[in-house]
């Protein structure tokens, strides 16, 4: 369940980004790779800050009533 608004990660915890809500923030050390589902927003020599990307909503079928 995506319950955290923000987390800080290290190299051992990169899979924990699953707990961050959509559009939640993630902070990691500069030497930690940014996870694939995180969009990097800013970086300096020490840390980077990213945002968990919003997932697309599933398609839904629309029905048209006639008459």
């Amino acid at each position: 369940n995506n319950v955290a608004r923000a987390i800080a990660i290290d190299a051992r915890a990169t899979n924990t980004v699953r707990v961050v809500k959509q559009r939640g923030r993630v902070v990691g050390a500069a030497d930690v790779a940014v996870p694939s589902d995180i969009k990097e927003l800013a970086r300096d020599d020490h840390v980077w800050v990213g945002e968990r990307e919003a997932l697309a909503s599933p398609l839904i079928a629309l029905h048209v009533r006639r008459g």
Side-chain angles (χ1 to χ4, degrees):
N1 227 353
N2 303 341
V3 295
R5 292 179 66 191
I7 63 170
I9 62 171
D10 63 12
R12 297 171 291 169
T14 56
N15 64 351
T16 60
V17 297
R18 296 181 309 227
V19 301
V20 178
K21 292 184 176 192
Q22 292 181 32
R23 304 240 188 230
R25 298 295 195 256
V26 179
V27 177
D31 61 344
V32 173
V34 178
S36 61
D37 54 344
I38 301 297
K39 177 182 175 185
E40 186 177 310
L41 300 175
R43 175 184 288 269
D44 66 13
D45 293 339
H46 306 286
V47 297
W48 54 262
V49 177
E51 176 181 83
R52 182 154 190 222
E53 299 191 275
L55 302 174
S57 298
L59 296 176
I60 58 170
L62 299 177
H63 301 279
V64 177
R65 292 185 183 228
R66 297 178 192 222

